[in-house]
Amino acid sequence: MDRLLNVTTGLSVILLVMVLVSVRRAHIRVEYSVSWLLAAAAMLILSRAHLLLNAVRNLIGLPDSPLTLFLLAGGVFLIMFFRFSVIVSHLRDNNIALAQRVAILEYHLQNLRNHESQEV
Amino acid sequence: MIPPNTHDSLLVIVPALNEEAAIGGVVSEIHQHVPGVPVLVIDDCSADSTIAVARQAGAEVLPMPHHLGLGGCVQAGYKLAYELGFQYVIRVDGDGQHDASDIPRVYEKLKTTGCEMVIGSRFVADNGSRTGAVRALGIRFFRLVLRPVLGKEVHDPTSGFVGVNRRALDVFRQSFPLEYPEIEALVVLQRRRFRFEEVPCKMRPRTTGRSTITALRSLYYVLHVLLGVFVNVLKFDRRYHRAQRERGAGG
Ligand SMILES: Nc1nc2c(ncn2[C@@H]2O[C@H](COP(=O)(O)OP(=O)(O)OP(=O)(O)O)[C@@H](O)[C@H]2O)c(=O)[nH]1
Ligand SMILES: [Mg+2]
């Protein structure tokens, strides 16, 4: 049981380092890294602070602590994936509107050019 | 393209993806049946020479900067048509399945009835049009689903042969479904209390290229469209009720 908690500790440390390195290298924008950092930090704290984890466990009424931790982590990541789907959808909408605008502007530009070369 | 200045100006748009084998014939057939009407081919980054063939045949071409999907392309065409001031837009498929000789009847129906959308339907009258078994089943299913939603029978809800007027253009340039747009577009219009009519049309079987609707995608198609219909019904009902409440509170 403690071994499992050690594993989650290791995992959350890896996640934390990964996110920090990615932010530093500008692979992730800061605003999108915050939720990952929070999630990793929460996982780290819960896997180390046994008293806190036990309190949460009793609150939910689950048989053991690691399971509680995994369920919590699962819930948090589910919410985050959903959030990212929302963000991606917004990006896609904007991207399509932009692409259409570019196509229409290029069309007008081409027409103007043709017009000019005809006048010359 | 010359910006139109008549009150009944028409633009024919043809969304195309890898249709080099068919697009030339489609464009010249349109020119033949509605002479003088500009044809706009909207190319979705075809890997073949669709653009060149379309230009050769005398069409205007609107190339997309990257692949947008059918709905995104049709909407781009609607946006351009609206901005240029066209009153009517008729969409025809680029694979040669629609018969351009039906365009004048769709156009007439748009003008005489004043309704927002006219669908070229292959099922209104039995005219020897053939469709695949899966496709026919899907269409029958959506007819059942759409009946109560639209409050009226629609025979061919998946038809890509669709004419719209400027009021519909104004709606569609702001919101138009991205994938499989036909059925959702109908619901979008109906929610705004717009009207549609159907005109019987011939449909030819595909002779070149490949259909984008494969058997595996059919299930995804059905789920996707059902969800789209559902979302649109909810969205507009909420907006409608809110507007009613505000009107009640104001007056
Ligand atoms: N712009 C664009 N056009 C597309 C795309 N997919 C299909 N099309 C075009 O949309 C039209 C209809 O596509 P089809 O694959 O023939 O669909 P369908 O007619 O409903 O199905 P079939 O009866 O099997 O032919 C054709 O003109 C295609 O070139 C796409 O992703 N982008
Ligand atoms: Mg087709």
Side-chain angles (χ1 to χ4, degrees):
Chain A
M1 196 151 117
D2 266 358
R3 258 228 301 260
L4 216 54
L5 285 180
N6 286 340
V7 170
T8 38
T9 308
L11 281 179
S12 33
V13 169
I14 291 173
L15 184 61
L16 217 63
V17 172
M18 237 168 62
V19 173
L20 285 176
V21 169
S22 305
V23 172
R24 215 184 76 86
R25 292 191 186 154
H27 290 168
I28 307 185
R29 294 189 63 86
V30 176
E31 55 267 38
Y32 298 133
S33 69
V34 172
S35 41
W36 282 116
L37 285 177
L38 283 181
M43 226 166 86
L44 185 61
I45 291 169
L46 279 177
S47 61
R48 287 295 91 192
H50 290 212
L51 276 177
L52 191 62
L53 188 57
N54 280 340
V56 175
R57 192 194 92 189
N58 289 335
L59 204 71
I60 314 179
L62 281 175
D64 66 79
S65 302
L67 184 64
T68 315
L69 189 56
F70 278 118
L71 270 183
L72 280 179
V76 168
F77 286 128
L78 214 64
I79 291 171
M80 284 178 53
F81 285 137
F82 186 75
R83 211 174 79 88
F84 285 126
S85 293
V86 173
I87 294 170
V88 168
S89 299
H90 275 297
L91 283 177
R92 179 125 171 87
D93 281 347
N94 295 343
N95 172 276
I96 281 166
L98 265 181
Q100 290 172 334
R101 189 47 50 198
V102 167
I104 290 173
L105 286 178
E106 267 181 351
Y107 176 84
H108 288 314
L109 198 65
Q110 192 62 46
N111 271 2
L112 278 178
R113 286 216 185 103
N114 291 347
H115 209 72
E116 252 172 25
S117 61
Q118 266 168 25
E119 275 174 4
V120 169
Chain B
M1 197 184 327
I2 314 134
N5 48 15
T6 53
H7 65 283
D8 55 0
S9 50
L10 171 67
L11 174 68
V12 175
I13 63 172
V14 186
L17 177 66
N18 299 330
E19 299 283 8
E20 66 175 1
I23 195 76
V26 171
V27 172
S28 38
E29 204 186 330
I30 296 170
H31 281 321
Q32 185 189 327
H33 287 283
V34 276
V37 169
V39 178
L40 181 72
V41 171
I42 306 156
D43 178 74
D44 205 2
C45 287
S46 297
D48 61 8
S49 51
T50 299
I51 293 182
V53 175
R55 286 220 171 97
Q56 190 78 47
E60 301 273 332
V61 179
L62 183 66
M64 294 295 124
H66 60 75
H67 186 82
L68 283 194
L70 182 58
C73 286
V74 172
Q75 190 184 33
Y78 285 162
K79 282 183 178 176
L80 182 58
Y82 188 86
E83 286 164 22
L84 288 174
F86 281 96
Q87 298 296 322
Y88 301 100
V89 174
I90 296 177
R91 177 198 144 187
V92 179
D93 276 356
D95 55 4
Q97 286 185 288
H98 297 145
D99 196 326
S101 66
D102 289 323
I103 295 178
R105 274 190 299 125
V106 173
Y107 185 36
E108 270 315 303
K109 193 87 172 180
L110 276 170
K111 285 196 289 187
T112 53
T113 61
C115 65
E116 279 75 15
M117 185 189 260
V118 172
I119 303 170
S121 168
R122 71 198 105 164
F123 302 117
V124 168
D126 191 10
N127 50 18
S129 298
R130 282 179 295 144
T131 32
V134 182
R135 181 72 177 270
L137 200 73
I139 290 173
R140 195 163 302 164
F141 172 71
F142 277 113
R143 246 150 64 172
L144 278 179
V145 173
L146 286 173
R147 236 227 88 109
V149 174
L150 300 177
K152 176 180 167 185
E153 180 97 40
V154 50
H155 294 85
D156 194 0
T158 64
S159 172
F161 194 0
V162 178
V164 294
N165 71 6
R166 201 167 164 78
R167 277 192 301 277
L169 277 187
D170 192 21
V171 171
F172 288 153
R173 80 192 164 97
Q174 296 167 58
S175 105
F176 198 70
L178 189 58
E179 285 181 308
Y180 317 127
E182 293 86 5
I183 291 179
E184 261 187 81
L186 256 179
V187 178
V188 169
L189 276 193
Q190 196 280 333
R191 292 284 119 182
R192 288 168 197 265
R193 308 287 181 272
F194 282 7
R195 289 172 305 136
F196 69 88
E197 291 283 341
E198 283 182 282
V199 165
C201 285
K202 292 174 285 295
M203 247 317 230
R204 295 189 282 240
R206 205 177 230 287
T207 50
T208 65
R210 227 184 61 217
S211 169
T212 46
I213 300 181
T214 58
L216 200 86
R217 284 201 188 162
S218 300
L219 186 69
Y220 175 70
Y221 175 93
V222 169
L223 286 178
H224 188 298
V225 174
L226 266 184
L227 206 62
V229 169
F230 178 68
V231 165
N232 273 296
V233 168
L234 280 187
K235 192 161 74 188
F236 282 96
D237 275 2
R238 215 176 49 213
R239 228 180 261 170
Y240 179 72
H241 287 308
R242 197 189 305 146
Q244 290 254 308
R245 259 206 315 280
E246 273 159 18
R247 207 172 300 145

